[in-house]
């Protein structure tokens, strides 16, 4: 009976994680290169607020009110990802481009060990009148203590990324997500869960485009 109970508890704990990781992987694997003159829907990839204007200042570290629908204080733990993971259907007029951000939100469950990992999605990237719509929220995982994103530049893992300062490589070669689950005591502490997603999208630069138009080699 004890073995059955432990097996059932272990399975119950692993199911949310098995559902959350594919969602994360899909968002990151379909990252879109930052906008050019022809693709104004897609913003820059910046892991911390820099520059000026709403497009270059993601809600990183924002407190309650950054998104609606889920109560409690929240902090955005990821940059704004512009990804091609949106699902097309006959009921929604949006393209497959969407803006996704991940937040840690205080749980409404008083017995929770940690926070809720929330996925906030914005489908309408060209709102009427320039007034941004509130993103739709989805709880991916509960009892989370910490989430971090690392970016591989081809040589080493970097803690931050800013595509506005990169001339030849707008997107990292890969992104690593580390999820530390909350624990009751030191004996139950586990190593962080890691997810590494290669990024295969490449953004063409002005130099490459100019060389191609002049018949240069690629």
């Amino acid at each position: 009976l004890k073995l059955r109970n432990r097996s059932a508890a272990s399975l119950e704990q692993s199911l949310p994680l098995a559902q959350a990781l594919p969602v994360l992987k899909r968002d990151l694997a379909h990252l879109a290169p930052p906008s050019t003159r022809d693709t104004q829907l897609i913003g820059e990839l910046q892991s911390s607020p820099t520059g000026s204007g709403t497009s270059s200042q993601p809600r990183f570290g924002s407190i309650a009110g950054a998104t609606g629908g889920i109560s409690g204080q929240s902090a955005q733990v990821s940059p704004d990802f512009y990804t091609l993971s949106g699902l097309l259907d006959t009921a929604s007029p949006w393209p497959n481009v969407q803006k996704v951000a991940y937040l840690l939100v205080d749980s409404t469950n008083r017995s929770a060990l940690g926070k809720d990992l929330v996925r906030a999605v914005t489908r309408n990237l060209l709102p009427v009148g320039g007034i941004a719509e509130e993103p739709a929220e989805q709880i991916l995982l509960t009892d989370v203590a910490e989430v971090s994103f690392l970016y591989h530049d081809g040589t080493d893992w970097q803690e931050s990324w800013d595509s506005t300062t990169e001339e030849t490589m707008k997107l990292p070669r890969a992104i690593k997500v580390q999820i530390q689950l909350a624990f009751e005591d030191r004996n139950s502490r586990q190593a962080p869960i890691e997810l590494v997603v290669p990024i295969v999208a490449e953004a063409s630069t002005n130099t490459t485009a100019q060389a191609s138009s002049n018949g240069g080699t690629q």
Side-chain angles (χ1 to χ4, degrees):
L1 181 59
K2 292 182 180 179
L3 177 60
R4 188 197 67 179
N5 291 341
R6 286 197 300 266
S7 300
S10 177
L11 180 60
E12 184 177 354
Q13 293 176 357
S14 64
L15 281 178
L17 188 62
Q19 295 173 349
L21 292 182
V23 175
L24 268 163
K25 182 177 180 180
R26 176 180 172 83
D27 286 340
L28 298 179
H30 291 83
L31 284 185
S35 292
T36 62
R37 294 180 180 178
D38 300 326
T39 56
Q40 296 299 324
L41 286 176
I42 306 170
E44 300 288 349
L45 175 61
Q46 295 174 294
S47 59
S48 59
T50 57
S52 61
T54 55
S55 61
S56 60
Q57 290 190 6
R59 302 180 309 277
F60 190 85
S62 58
I63 303 298
T67 58
I70 296 180
S71 60
Q73 289 191 336
S74 62
Q76 186 168 333
V77 293
S78 79
D80 288 334
F81 292 117
Y82 289 84
T83 174
L84 305 177
S85 61
L87 299 179
L88 301 177
D89 56 59
T90 57
S92 302
W94 322 122
N96 63 337
V97 181
Q98 60 185 4
K99 181 170 67 175
V100 178
Y102 290 90
L103 304 92
L104 282 181
V105 180
D106 286 343
S107 176
T108 56
N109 184 3
R110 294 185 178 180
S111 61
L113 298 177
K115 296 179 179 292
D116 294 337
L117 177 61
V118 174
R119 178 176 180 257
V121 181
T122 304
R123 292 299 304 273
N124 184 8
L125 300 183
L126 293 176
V128 177
I131 302 176
E133 296 182 358
E134 292 291 344
E137 296 179 345
Q138 171 191 7
I139 297 180
L140 287 185
L141 202 60
T142 59
D143 292 333
V144 178
E146 185 179 357
V147 178
S148 59
F149 290 79
L150 300 175
Y151 311 88
H152 202 277
D153 60 5
T155 304
D156 299 309
W157 289 105
Q158 306 295 332
E159 295 184 354
S160 62
W161 190 269
D162 189 348
S163 61
T164 62
T165 63
E166 294 289 337
E167 295 296 333
T168 59
M169 186 170 60
K170 293 292 185 180
L171 295 178
R173 299 301 184 189
I175 297 179
K176 179 193 294 185
V177 186
Q178 294 180 325
I179 302 175
Q180 178 64 63
L181 298 179
F183 55 93
E184 295 182 358
D185 50 52
R186 294 183 178 181
N187 295 330
S188 60
R189 180 183 177 90
Q190 299 179 356
I193 299 165
E194 291 190 350
L195 173 67
V196 178
V197 182
I199 308 300
V200 296
E202 290 290 346
S204 59
T205 61
N206 294 333
T207 303
T208 304
Q210 183 177 1
S212 300
S213 61
N214 294 334
T217 58
Q218 298 184 13

